[in-house]
């Protein structure tokens, strides 16, 4: 993910100018139309249908906008190991703060941590005392440090939290551990870590479960003491007990991912994989094993620290938990500013091979044994590897690519490899199972790009549209107009699913306190989350993966900006077969549409009483959702009032509508691949 996308973006800019002119002329002409517009949509259920790939629609996670750190990963403490300030001491401990003044407590970092790869620890010297004879008596509540988390910790009444920390001291300790309000005045949950000098003379791990007695959406963690002495802290963690599948993923927003029924999870980036410089790239071996021993790293592209609690293992686990196939994006020795020469890239190739062994190797293999030790004895279902991200134009990409490709195919011939180079308009000059295609553009341009793959060669590797979205003024922070254009683009992908294998929106998440990139699919803060219209748009395609694309024909009485598709699928919930017709109305006038299902004898078996309509629209195409109005633009589902062989329906201005028909599948026909098959629009 980058602002500039090489030669592809250059062509997009030229196309945008053309389509903007066409759209402007169209808008002027449509304003003058007197009366409604009409359309006829005919769906052929008796002809030959085409199977859409099982992997068609999935999701792409990148560590951007604090998507993982302070988001998907449920850890509440920011900078839990005190490493974010760097390895040189003294260092910045932000966002940790100090409770008490310089006369009562002195806090600094040193390099006394017991963990080899992250040596920074926090040294807290308490100068005051609780002895009544002392000339420096500690204030009520003691002195110490606090951590506000990622813009506040969400603490809810009766919820449980697990606190873990490592402590060392030269004497006995009694540390008060509390979840409090942001000013420290309200205690929500508390305990004490007590240890004698023998116990804490060496680094000691303390663990406690706290139950909150009240709710505060902007809480913090406090560590305080009232006895004079020196205490060292390291690797301080607060984790909610109630997480998705008990795997430490934040429950509400992970459920939103699962609700999309994604067929794959591409991770962990994006530019996050590359780094601005290789020294700051995502290195998977530094993100596995016990969380306390992970050094973390500074993501220099999106400019924040991650402790890498959300590491390679956790991404594989997340994919499994939401029933998606993992798609691992590997660093191939390239960053934004430096490149490993092909003659020297061997160690990077071996690192990629080791990552596959970690995911798929036997539990007694070198790296498979580490996976087993982390609690997952069985292999993960890793089938896809992407080599780099948006690197095709770089000097060493093709040379490095071939080193990776040959080595992976020799060791794991079943793994599908994805090239960064766009093969939609010209043939690739290197082998690949799929090629990557990214597009960020205006709403008008993306609507017209529904035909992007119409003329793509049906020979050679298929496309993986791993990043698409509308950006710019009309997209805002996630508008209806953006979602409609994206829906049209995905309908075009459905129709070209013989040459497009997969597609995913980007970015997936944004913490509202770090809007580095807009728009995004899911917006959250410490306590709440909502889907943008682009998130809800993807719900309309949840059943398309593995469905059968039906031939459809859409005609209108004018140049109405409409696009439609029809699929049939068997529901896993009720075991019934449905036809879903999706239509985007990208214009500012309502369109009366007659839907005719041409199925011969099958037409009479349609149970039109069960026909449902789902509409995504709003009063203004630039409307957005917000924490105050989280479902201002969200799908509305209702039963169709009228039935029969032909169904008349109104398509509101600027809307995305789906019609679901319960039907009999006995006469539906499918074909796995048919290059001549085409559904007209």
């Amino acid at each position: 993910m980058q602002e500039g996308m090489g030669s592809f973006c250059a062509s997009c800019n030229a196309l945008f100018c053309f389509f903007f002119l066409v759209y402007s002329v169209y808008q002027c002409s449509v304003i003058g139309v007197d009366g409604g517009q009409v359309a006829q949509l005919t769906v052929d259920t008796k002809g030959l249908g085409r199977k859409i790939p099982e992997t068609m629609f999935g999701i792409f996670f990148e560590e951007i906008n604090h998507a993982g750190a302070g988001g998907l990963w449920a850890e509440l403490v920011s900078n839990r190991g005190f490493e974010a300030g760097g390895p040189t001491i003294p260092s910045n401990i932000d966002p940790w703060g100090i409770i008490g003044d310089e006369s009562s407590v002195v806090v600094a970092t040193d390099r006394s941590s017991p963990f080899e790869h992250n040596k920074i620890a926090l040294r807290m010297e308490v100068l005051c005392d609780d002895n009544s004879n002392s000339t420096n008596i500690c204030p009520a509540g003691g002195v110490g440090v606090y951590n506000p988390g990622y813009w506040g910790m969400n603490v809810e009444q009766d919820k449980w939290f697990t606190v873990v920390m490592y402590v060392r001291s030269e004497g006995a300790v009694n540390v008060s551990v509390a979840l409090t309000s942001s000013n420290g005045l309200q205690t929500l949950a508390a305990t004490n870590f007590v240890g004698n000098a023998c116990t804490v003379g060496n680094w000691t791990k303390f663990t406690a479960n706290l139950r909150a007695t009240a709710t505060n959406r902007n809480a913090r963690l406090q560590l305080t003491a009232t006895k004079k002495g020196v205490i060292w802290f390291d690797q301080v963690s607060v984790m909610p007990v109630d997480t998705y599948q008990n795997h430490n993923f934040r429950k509400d927003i992970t459920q939103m991912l699962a609700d999309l029924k994604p067929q794959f999870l591409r991770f962990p980036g994006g530019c996050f994989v590359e780094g601005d410089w290789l020294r700051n790239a995502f290195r998977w071996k530094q993100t596995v094993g016990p969380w306390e021993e992970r050094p973390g790293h500074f993501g220099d592209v999106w400019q924040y620290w991650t402790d890498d609690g959300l590491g390679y293992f956790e991404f594989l686990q997340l994919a499994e938990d939401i029933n998606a196939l993992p798609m691992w994006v590997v660093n191939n020795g390239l960053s934004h500013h430096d490149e490993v020469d092909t003659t020297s890239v061997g160690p990077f190739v071996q690192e990629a091979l080791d990552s596959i062994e970690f995911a798929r190797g036997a539990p007694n293999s070198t790296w498979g044994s580490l996976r087993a030790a982390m609690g997952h004895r069985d292999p993960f279902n890793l089938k896809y590897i992407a080599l780099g991200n948006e690197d095709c134009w770089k000097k060493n990409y093709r040379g490095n690519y071939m080193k990776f490709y040959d080595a992976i195919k020799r060791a794991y011939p079943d793994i599908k490899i994805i090239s960064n180079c766009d093969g939609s308009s010209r043939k690739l000059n290197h082998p690949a199972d799929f090629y990557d295609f990214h597009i960020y553009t205006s709403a008008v341009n993306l609507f017209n790009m529904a035909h992007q793959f119409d003329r793509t060669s049906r020979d050679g590797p298929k496309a993986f549209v791993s990043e698409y979205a509308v950006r710019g003024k009309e997209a805002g922070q996630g508008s209806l107009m953006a979602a409609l254009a994206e829906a049209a683009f995905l309908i075009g992908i459905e129709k070209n699913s013989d040459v497009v294998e997969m597609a995913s929106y980007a970015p997936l998440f944004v913490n509202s306190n770090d809007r580095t990139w807009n728009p995004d699919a899911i917006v959250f803060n410490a306590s709440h989350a909502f889907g943008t219209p682009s998130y809800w748009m993807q719900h309309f395609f949840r059943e398309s993966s593995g469905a059968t694309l039906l031939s459809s024909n859409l005609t209108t009485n004018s140049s109405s900006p409409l696009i439609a598709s029809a699929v049939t699928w068997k529901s896993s919930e009720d075991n019934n077969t449905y036809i879903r017709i999706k239509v985007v109305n990208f214009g500012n006038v309502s369109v009366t549409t007659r839907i005719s299902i041409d199925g011969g004898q099958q037409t009479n078996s349609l149970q039109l009483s069960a026909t449902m309509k789902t509409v995504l629209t709003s009063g203004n195409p630039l409307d957005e959702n917000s924490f105050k109005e989280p479902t201002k633009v969200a799908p509305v589902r209702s039963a169709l009032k009228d039935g029969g062989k032909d169904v008349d329906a109104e398509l509101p201005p600027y809307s995305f509508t789906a019609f679901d028909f319960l039907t009999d599948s006995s006469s539906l026909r499918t074909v796995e691949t048919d290059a001549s098959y085409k559904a007209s629009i």
Side-chain angles (χ1 to χ4, degrees):
M1 179 182 298
Q2 292 174 257
E3 290 285 354
M5 295 177 4
S7 59
F8 180 76
C9 272
S11 62
C12 283
N13 290 335
L15 281 171
F16 170 72
C17 294
F18 170 74
F19 285 123
F20 180 81
L21 178 61
V22 172
Y23 182 67
S24 299
V25 172
Y26 166 74
Q27 288 290 77
C28 292
S29 65
V30 86
I31 291 172
V33 174
D34 185 18
Q37 299 184 29
V38 296
Q40 171 72 46
L41 175 61
T42 303
V43 178
D44 181 5
T45 64
K46 68 181 187 300
L48 194 64
R50 186 182 68 228
K51 183 79 177 293
I52 295 173
E54 297 282 352
T55 55
M56 189 76 246
F57 295 110
I59 55 177
F60 162 47
F61 177 94
E62 174 158 19
E63 183 60 88
I64 181 177
N65 305 323
H66 275 86
L72 182 68
W73 190 240
E75 174 62 64
L76 297 182
V77 177
S78 178
N79 191 16
R80 68 183 180 189
F82 308 103
E83 305 291 331
T88 303
I89 57 172
S91 58
N92 189 357
I93 63 171
D94 186 69
W96 290 88
I98 299 174
I99 301 170
D101 58 30
E102 293 179 352
S103 67
S104 59
V105 63
V106 176
V107 174
T109 54
D110 65 18
R111 294 184 56 81
S112 65
S113 171
F115 302 109
E116 179 182 356
H117 299 296
N118 38 342
K119 296 303 295 181
I120 303 299
L122 189 73
R123 181 183 187 274
M124 182 176 81
E125 182 176 6
V126 180
L127 304 176
C128 58
D129 209 338
D130 59 356
N131 190 328
S132 60
N133 296 323
S134 173
T135 58
N136 188 7
I137 298 177
C138 291
V143 296
V145 292
Y146 69 88
N147 188 288
Y150 298 91
W151 301 283
M153 298 180 180
N154 181 38
V155 174
E156 297 181 36
Q157 185 173 352
D158 294 328
K159 292 294 180 68
W160 287 88
F161 299 85
T162 298
V163 180
V164 178
M165 68 178 66
Y166 289 78
V167 178
R168 182 172 72 88
S169 180
E170 296 171 349
V173 298
N174 186 341
V175 178
S176 174
V177 180
L179 296 172
T180 74
S181 57
S182 60
N183 58 11
L185 298 180
Q186 179 191 22
T187 299
L188 309 168
T191 191
N192 284 76
F193 284 161
V194 180
N196 58 40
C198 293
T199 302
V200 298
N202 295 311
W203 282 101
T204 303
K205 181 179 181 179
F206 286 96
T207 302
N209 287 322
L210 303 183
R211 178 175 171 269
T213 58
T215 294
N216 190 297
R217 306 295 189 184
N218 189 31
R220 73 186 193 184
L221 171 70
Q222 291 189 173
L223 308 176
T224 56
T226 59
K227 182 177 177 59
K228 187 175 182 179
V230 180
I231 306 173
W232 285 264
F233 297 103
D234 198 13
Q235 298 300 329
V236 181
S237 169
V238 178
M239 187 72 75
V241 171
D242 186 20
T243 60
Y244 192 83
Q245 302 280 39
N246 296 317
H247 287 143
N248 294 335
F249 304 115
R250 179 170 154 176
K251 200 168 186 178
D252 58 342
I253 60 178
T254 309
Q255 185 61 56
M256 291 179 72
L257 299 186
D259 289 345
L260 290 174
K261 299 182 180 179
Q263 299 303 302
F264 63 84
L265 168 65
R266 178 181 182 239
F267 69 89
C271 297
F272 183 71
V273 170
E274 304 164 281
D276 241 13
W277 297 91
L278 278 172
R279 62 178 175 268
N280 293 318
F282 181 86
R283 308 302 290 269
W284 77 269
K285 289 181 180 179
Q286 305 300 311
T287 74
V288 294
W291 59 267
E292 301 96 328
E293 298 177 6
R294 302 181 190 184
H297 79 287
F298 179 69
D300 59 353
V301 176
W302 307 121
Q303 294 292 300
Y304 60 89
W305 176 265
T306 60
D307 61 30
D308 289 330
L310 181 59
Y312 180 51
F313 175 88
E314 286 74 23
F315 283 117
L316 293 168
Q317 185 66 66
L318 174 63
E320 184 175 276
D321 287 351
I322 61 174
N323 296 314
L325 290 171
M327 182 179 295
W328 167 219
V329 184
V330 172
N331 183 291
N332 59 340
L334 305 176
S335 76
H336 288 178
H337 292 109
D338 56 340
E339 303 183 27
V340 175
D341 190 82
T342 299
T343 60
S344 306
V345 81
F348 287 79
V349 174
Q350 187 58 51
E351 189 164 285
L353 293 172
D354 291 345
S355 74
I356 301 172
E357 181 179 282
F358 177 91
R360 295 179 31 159
N364 61 352
S365 63
T366 300
W367 290 103
S369 63
L370 177 56
R371 180 199 69 239
M374 294 181 69
H376 202 284
R377 182 175 175 82
D378 294 335
F380 288 107
N381 193 18
L382 179 63
K383 296 181 178 180
Y384 298 93
I385 297 286
L387 298 179
N389 173 71
E390 296 178 351
D391 294 328
C392 183
W393 58 274
K394 295 175 182 174
K395 181 183 68 172
N396 293 333
Y397 180 72
R398 284 171 177 79
N400 289 7
Y401 174 92
M402 287 308 305
K403 292 283 189 179
F404 280 81
Y405 182 92
D406 290 341
I408 293 172
K409 285 293 187 180
R410 275 196 305 269
Y412 303 96
D414 64 304
I415 281 186
K416 304 300 183 184
I417 295 180
I418 303 162
S419 168
N420 284 181
C421 300
D422 179 13
S424 63
S425 57
R426 56 185 174 184
K427 188 175 180 180
L428 298 181
N429 63 358
H430 54 276
D433 294 295
F434 304 104
Y435 62 86
D436 211 348
F437 183 95
H438 296 183
I439 178 63
Y440 298 98
T441 187
S442 69
V444 174
N445 195 26
L446 196 62
F447 180 88
N448 285 287
M449 286 184 70
H451 302 283
Q452 172 69 28
F453 296 97
D454 287 2
R455 291 168 294 280
T456 294
S457 171
R458 267 50 194 169
D459 298 322
K462 297 174 69 173
F464 171 31
V465 183
S466 66
E467 300 182 28
Y468 72 86
V470 171
R471 294 201 75 199
K473 183 177 180 181
E474 61 201 356
Q477 295 184 346
S479 70
L480 171 64
M481 177 173 281
L484 297 180
E486 291 154 2
F489 180 64
L490 293 191
I491 285 176
I493 283 178
E494 276 187 339
K495 290 172 173 291
N496 285 286
S497 56
D498 56 325
V499 292
V500 181
E501 185 77 8
M502 296 170 281
S504 51
Y505 178 92
L508 190 57
F509 287 120
V510 60
N511 187 311
S512 61
N513 296 284
D514 181 22
R515 284 188 174 274
T516 301
W517 185 289
N518 287 307
D520 310 87
I522 297 171
V523 184
F524 64 88
N525 57 23
S527 57
H528 293 83
F530 65 87
T532 64
S534 294
Y535 169 79
W536 292 112
M537 173 276 298
Q538 293 175 67
H539 277 241
F540 287 67
F541 294 88
R542 293 188 302 178
E543 315 299 344
S544 290
S545 299
T548 298
L549 179 69
L550 300 175
S551 179
S552 58
N553 184 60
L554 177 64
T555 58
T556 69
N557 69 334
S558 70
S559 57
S560 300
L562 303 177
I563 186 170
S565 69
V567 301
T568 181
W569 87 96
K570 190 171 186 177
S571 170
S572 60
E573 297 176 2
D574 60 17
N575 212 34
N576 288 323
T577 299
Y578 293 87
I579 294 172
R580 173 168 293 174
I581 297 168
K582 299 186 291 290
V583 190
V584 175
N585 180 2
F586 201 57
N588 61 359
V589 294
S590 179
V591 179
T592 301
T593 303
R594 169 154 293 191
I595 299 172
S596 299
I597 300 179
D598 183 8
Q601 294 182 349
Q602 184 195 14
T603 303
N604 297 325
S605 71
L606 290 174
Q607 301 179 37
L608 294 183
S609 60
T611 301
M612 301 297 294
K613 178 176 71 171
T614 307
V615 183
L616 182 69
T617 191
S618 192
N620 187 315
L622 299 182
D623 279 348
E624 302 180 2
N625 293 331
S626 63
F627 289 113
K628 185 177 180 180
E629 296 180 280
T631 57
K632 182 176 184 177
V633 186
V636 176
R637 188 168 170 83
S638 61
L640 275 178
K641 296 179 180 179
D642 299 320
K645 181 179 178 181
D646 296 323
V647 175
D648 291 328
E650 201 73 16
L651 304 178
Y654 296 113
S655 65
F656 185 23
T657 306
F659 303 91
D660 289 338
F661 297 86
L662 177 63
T663 186
D664 176 14
S665 63
S666 60
S667 62
L668 293 176
R669 302 166 59 202
T670 67
V671 61
E672 292 296 329
T673 303
D674 183 0
S676 64
Y677 178 88
K678 183 73 68 173
S680 61
I681 59 171

